[in-house]
Amino acid sequence: MKSTEIQQLINDFPLVKRLIDLEEVSWFNPRATTLKEGLPYVGLNTRDVQQAEARLKRFAPYLCKAFPETQVTNGIIESDVVAIPDMQKTLNQRYGVEVTGKMLLKKDSHLPISGSIKARGGIYEVLTHAEKLAMQAGLLQESDDYSKLFSEEFKQFFSQYSIAVGSTGNLGMSIGIMSAKLGFSVSVHMSADAREWKKQKLRSHGVNVVEYEQDYGVAVEQGRKEAESDPNCFFIDDENSQTLFLGYSVAGGRLKAQFEQMNVVVDENHPLFVYLPCGVGGGPGGVAFGLKLAFGDNVHCIFAEPTHSPCMLLGVHTGLHDGISVQDLGIDNVTAADGLAVGRASGFVGRAMERLLDGYYTLSDQEMYDLLGLMNRDEGIQLEPSALAGMPGPSRVTADKAYLESKQLTAEKMRNATHLVWATGGGMVPEVEMAKYLATARI
Ligand SMILES: *Cc1c(COP(=O)(O)O)cnc(C)c1O
């Protein structure tokens, strides 16, 4: 972008200057609206989510066999919700804001198979593709016991096909591990910021890891190219895939059932706030979609991004969506937050979800590290930096009186609120790597 164009953008949207200056900012979208008004723009509905749920149920007997660690949940890949009262006290002190209501943590960080939120969308898309191929070949019917897929015969069948994906790490882990287990030949195109241990783990599963010196956007483009030249290769498009999005969305109905078991009430007088770390947008967007369908206008979704990669905030705030990248403004897109180092947001997710998301904020890398240390100290829970991005959310919401007023979120309602921080990764970080993260925390 030319400097005159940047200046014009800043004139139209003063917040852009603060993004360029790498300030921590919060923005609550005045155009956010009701589920009823926003839903038509998503292009997907409850039936689509129900179909995704049903597909995951069909695959549950297979997952039980292929990944015995999923037996405890009968082959359903789902995470716990836990209270974090000590962290809540620490955060109130740290930010000088008295957050009322209760803070909970959604531990997608500890999802089986790949230890991140990507175990939802990534695995779902691979399973969807495998089901389609097996059905087209006349080898599988919906009424079958899918555990039969765990066999040499099916591995042979899938080995004729390949799968490619571009990733900063965690999506590659989910798609690589799942695809290799089914028998596919799989290539993961990894951006420069991807961790060495993730590459090693993938190679140990028989995944072809292709490394790039550039960022996520380039890795995705190369994956797309590889797939174009091979008709038997399926490219998983993290930037535009509705299938991935639906895989994530199943979380909404499942959280509702978990809350019912835990006696957590969500209604007009007991609002739910959910804080979701955002990279390209598919994960948090899909989860938010599922949450809106499950809880309607009583759930308020807020996205969190690193100050060095605020792509979704930039795209939605300016209305330019995937027509602008943070690099266009000279922001470097360099962050320690795996999965969040994305310079250009998904145009699909931004356009589909902008009316259903209440707000966006950014935080620094050092803040994520500090929160990582505090979480370990106060709650004994170890997460990767990106998974802490949701932690400042409750204080940002509580401090913004104009936002609360616009949504008629009175002090009384806020005393009954539930603040759910979505912890998106960290369960598989090796001990030596975790020790390095903890050493970076200034606490
Ligand atoms: C991928 C990822 C996210 C964000 O998901 P997107 O679909 O890229 O927005 C958040 N946290 C972690 C740990 C991730 O791996």
Side-chain angles (χ1 to χ4, degrees):
M1 248 170 134
K2 287 198 236 100
S3 64
T4 50
E5 290 172 329
I6 295 176
Q7 194 50 53
Q8 186 57 50
L9 199 65
I10 292 171
N11 291 347
D12 294 344
F13 303 101
L15 185 71
V16 168
K17 175 77 168 65
R18 299 177 60 206
L19 294 180
I20 294 172
D21 292 344
L22 306 177
E23 274 182 48
E24 292 191 334
V25 303
S26 307
W27 177 60
F28 293 91
N29 187 353
R31 292 186 298 277
T33 180
T34 58
L35 176 61
K36 190 159 173 273
E37 282 179 30
L39 188 59
Y41 294 89
V42 183
L44 297 164
N45 56 40
T46 307
R47 255 198 76 218
D48 298 306
V49 179
Q50 284 166 347
Q51 281 175 0
E53 272 168 21
R55 179 169 287 118
L56 288 167
K57 278 195 187 132
R58 291 199 290 279
F59 272 99
Y62 166 77
L63 291 174
C64 262
K65 276 201 171 162
F67 299 99
E69 68 266 35
T70 65
Q71 277 169 14
V72 282
T73 49
N74 298 316
I76 296 294
I77 301 167
E78 196 42 74
S79 68
D80 292 339
V81 177
V82 297
I84 45 171
D86 293 337
M87 186 67 174
Q88 184 168 359
K89 279 186 210 121
T90 297
L91 291 175
N92 282 349
Q93 271 190 349
R94 184 176 183 86
Y95 299 126
V97 175
E98 189 64 26
V99 173
T100 55
K102 196 170 183 182
M103 254 179 100
L104 302 175
L105 188 75
K106 179 66 173 160
K107 289 176 75 180
D108 273 14
S109 47
H110 292 75
L111 280 174
I113 304 178
S114 64
S116 83
I117 188 172
K118 303 297 191 312
R120 296 184 185 276
I123 288 174
Y124 176 70
E125 178 139 19
V126 173
L127 297 178
T128 303
H129 183 59
E131 184 182 57
K132 186 173 138 213
L133 290 173
M135 282 183 174
Q136 279 172 353
L139 299 172
L140 185 69
Q141 289 188 335
E142 275 192 16
S143 54
D144 288 351
D145 175 350
Y146 278 31
S147 65
K148 76 184 212 183
L149 295 169
F150 190 62
S151 64
E152 259 325 295
E153 183 203 342
F154 271 97
K155 273 196 136 179
Q156 280 291 331
F157 170 71
F158 290 125
S159 71
Q160 311 165 71
Y161 300 95
S162 59
I163 289 181
V165 67
S167 171
T168 64
N170 286 337
L171 185 66
M173 292 262 282
S174 288
I175 288 179
I177 293 171
M178 188 66 247
S179 304
K181 183 68 90 176
L182 280 159
F184 286 105
S185 154
V186 51
S187 297
V188 177
H189 297 260
M190 284 192 140
S191 51
D193 52 304
R195 310 271 158 193
E196 200 49 46
W197 67 267
K198 290 185 182 173
K199 297 177 193 169
Q200 278 178 19
K201 192 167 178 103
L202 281 173
R203 289 192 174 112
S204 77
H205 282 265
V207 174
N208 175 33
V209 176
V210 191
E211 299 174 67
Y212 295 91
E213 282 175 15
Q214 296 95 339
D215 82 345
Y216 165 85
V218 174
V220 170
E221 263 335 290
Q222 293 304 314
R224 203 189 302 272
K225 271 194 194 142
E226 180 195 313
E228 271 167 11
S229 61
D230 176 358
N232 280 337
C233 181
F234 178 65
F235 173 65
I236 295 187
D237 186 351
D238 193 18
E239 289 173 328
N240 298 296
S241 169
Q242 292 196 346
T243 311
L244 269 176
F245 186 85
L246 287 171
Y248 291 114
S249 71
V250 168
R254 298 213 190 132
L255 181 72
K256 191 168 185 179
Q258 279 179 316
F259 274 4
E260 274 159 19
Q261 281 211 325
M262 296 167 69
N263 294 319
V264 174
V265 177
V266 179
D267 61 23
E268 210 195 325
N269 295 313
H270 299 76
L272 170 63
F273 295 86
V274 182
Y275 306 96
L276 294 147
C278 178
V280 73
V287 169
F289 178 56
L291 290 168
K292 291 306 277 189
L293 292 179
F295 297 102
D297 296 325
N298 300 320
V299 64
H300 304 271
C301 299
I302 290 115
F303 282 12
E305 294 178 293
T307 49
H308 285 254
S309 309
C311 65
M312 188 61 80
L313 201 175
L314 177 66
V316 173
H317 185 75
T318 60
L320 295 171
H321 295 290
D322 55 349
I324 191 167
S325 71
V326 303
Q327 290 97 334
D328 289 341
L329 302 177
I331 302 172
D332 62 9
N333 189 31
V334 174
T335 167
D338 287 22
L340 308 189
V342 178
R344 188 185 301 276
S346 159
F348 153 58
V349 173
R351 289 187 183 90
M353 290 299 295
E354 60 181 331
R355 293 164 195 81
L356 300 178
L357 304 171
D358 277 18
Y360 311 76
Y361 67 85
T362 61
L363 77 171
S364 72
D365 275 26
Q366 188 59 49
E367 188 63 19
M368 288 185 243
Y369 279 123
D370 293 355
L371 292 165
L372 186 152
L374 294 169
M375 193 67 191
N376 176 62
R377 185 195 73 188
D378 290 356
E379 303 286 348
I381 298 174
Q382 300 186 342
L383 303 172
E384 61 180 278
S386 29
L388 280 304
M391 287 291 161
S395 69
R396 303 287 184 100
V397 160
T398 304
D400 201 305
K401 300 299 173 212
Y403 160 65
L404 293 177
E405 215 164 279
S406 74
K407 298 271 171 195
Q408 282 122 43
L409 291 160
T410 60
E412 193 187 335
K413 286 186 193 174
M414 294 307 284
R415 274 195 294 279
N416 300 328
T418 300
H419 298 275
L420 182 67
V421 174
W422 213 278
T424 45
M428 288 189 179
V429 176
E431 235 170 271
V432 282
E433 300 293 328
M434 188 54 74
K436 285 187 218 162
Y437 284 154
L438 288 167
T440 313
R442 293 202 219 116
I443 60 166

